[in-house]
Amino acid sequence: MLVMENVDVAYGRTVVCHGVSVEVPADGVAAVMGHNGAGKTTLLRAAVGLLPVRSGRILLDGEDVTGSAPHQRVRRGLAFVPQGQQSFGQMTTAENLQVVADGRRRGPALIDEALDLFPALRGLLGRRAGLLSGGQRQQLAIARALITEPRLLILDEPTEGIQPSVVAEIERTILELTQRGGLSVLLVEQHVGFALHAAGRYYVLASGRVTAEGSGGVGAAVDVRSAMAI
């Protein structure tokens, strides 16, 4: 689905990611972990096209999209949920969903499907998004992304600052969606337990380099924590 090969990404003259290679399998989940400043968000911004790649290449479904603009990647089925539970705070939950669904052939059905995945939002449709809790806003942000019917969903720190019950709900949703088929997920995450349970493949970044990688599952937790302790 998504392959990043020996990617260097820089801000000006400062190289942040050095020769990073990451692969997201079709209908699977890959997690990128590491401490703050490791280069995780920079890598995601390059995958989305918000930052240029200095060297290396990015393939989406086998096609080189290294030089493609973000909107071109979106048209190819990419959706990005950035860090921070972003939403239109002055709009209601329903309006946040509707603004994405407008103009889509299956708009009403897509909203219903998103609400089925996050049923807690049904009771909050009339509430302004700015008044939602952090966990509710995160569910709303993911629901909005899913209305675009992506084939690749990119999540930046989806569990940051939210309660464990909502973390479990997001994990359940990710697993359900990928098991249905037709969706791959790339997530950046510091919550090791969540990432390894959700992901079939993991990568650990430190100082912009991959220092460990392997198959997911709870048995990998010791290896990941050891790599993050370096």
Side-chain angles (χ1 to χ4, degrees), residues 117-128:
L117 290 168
F118 296 108
L121 295 177
R122 287 193 182 275
L124 302 168
L125 291 174
R127 184 174 300 181
R128 286 192 303 178

Side-chain angles (χ1 to χ4, degrees), residues 95 97-105 107-108 111 147:
E95 290 167 340
L97 298 173
Q98 189 64 52
V99 74
V100 182
D102 280 347
R104 295 186 177 275
R105 182 176 58 84
I111 291 176
I147 288 173

Side-chain angles (χ1 to χ4, degrees), residues 16-31:
V16 177
C17 294
H18 307 265
V20 175
S21 294
V22 168
E23 181 171 354
V24 184
D27 301 335
V29 183

Side-chain angles (χ1 to χ4, degrees), residues 29-143:
V29 183
V32 177
M33 292 173 282
H35 296 299
N36 288 335
K40 305 184 302 298
T41 294
T42 298
L43 185 69
L44 290 196
R45 289 173 62 83
V48 175
L50 296 172
L51 282 175
V53 169
R54 177 170 288 187
S55 63
R57 63 178 187 161
I58 300 173
L59 305 175
L60 190 57
D61 279 339
E63 181 175 333
D64 193 331
V65 297
T66 308
S68 299
H71 72 273
Q72 293 171 319
R73 303 186 198 196
V74 168
R75 282 204 299 264
R76 291 183 58 83
L78 185 152
F80 178 43
V81 179
Q83 188 176 11
Q85 303 118 29
Q86 297 185 17
S87 61
F88 299 109
Q90 295 303 311
M91 296 170 62
T92 66
T93 297
E95 290 167 340
N96 267 269
L97 298 173
Q98 189 64 52
V99 74
V100 182
D102 280 347
R104 295 186 177 275
R105 182 176 58 84
R106 297 182 57 246
L110 292 169
I111 291 176
D112 280 340
E113 290 169 10
L115 292 173
D116 286 343
L117 290 168
F118 296 108
L121 295 177
R122 287 193 182 275
L124 302 168
L125 291 174
R127 184 174 300 181
R128 286 192 303 178
L131 300 178
L132 301 178
S133 70
Q136 291 164 346
R137 286 196 305 272
Q138 187 64 284
Q139 291 179 81
L140 176 59
I142 297 173

Side-chain angles (χ1 to χ4, degrees), residues 171 192-200 202 215-225:
E171 179 182 318
V192 172
F194 167 82
L196 292 178
H197 193 262
Y202 72 82
S215 299
V218 292
V222 173
D223 292 338
V224 170
R225 290 192 172 95

Side-chain angles (χ1 to χ4, degrees), residues 143-226:
R144 291 175 64 221
L146 292 173
I147 288 173
T148 68
E149 298 183 281
R151 292 185 302 109
L152 174 64
L153 179 63
I154 298 181
L155 304 172
D156 191 0
E157 300 279 10
T159 70
E160 181 184 39
I162 61 179
Q163 66 235 47
S165 61
V166 178
V167 171
E169 184 76 2
I170 291 172
E171 179 182 318
R172 179 197 61 76
T173 300
I174 290 173
L175 292 173
E176 179 181 336
L177 289 168
T178 54
Q179 287 166 3
R180 288 181 187 175
L183 180 69
S184 300
V185 177
L186 172 61
L187 67 92
V188 153
E189 186 57 66
Q190 292 195 56
H191 189 308
V192 172
F194 167 82
L196 292 178
H197 193 262
R201 187 79 187 163
Y202 72 82
Y203 301 85
V204 177
L205 283 189
S207 300
R209 292 179 169 84
V210 175
T211 58
E213 61 181 279
S215 299
V218 292
V222 173
D223 292 338
V224 170
R225 290 192 172 95
S226 295

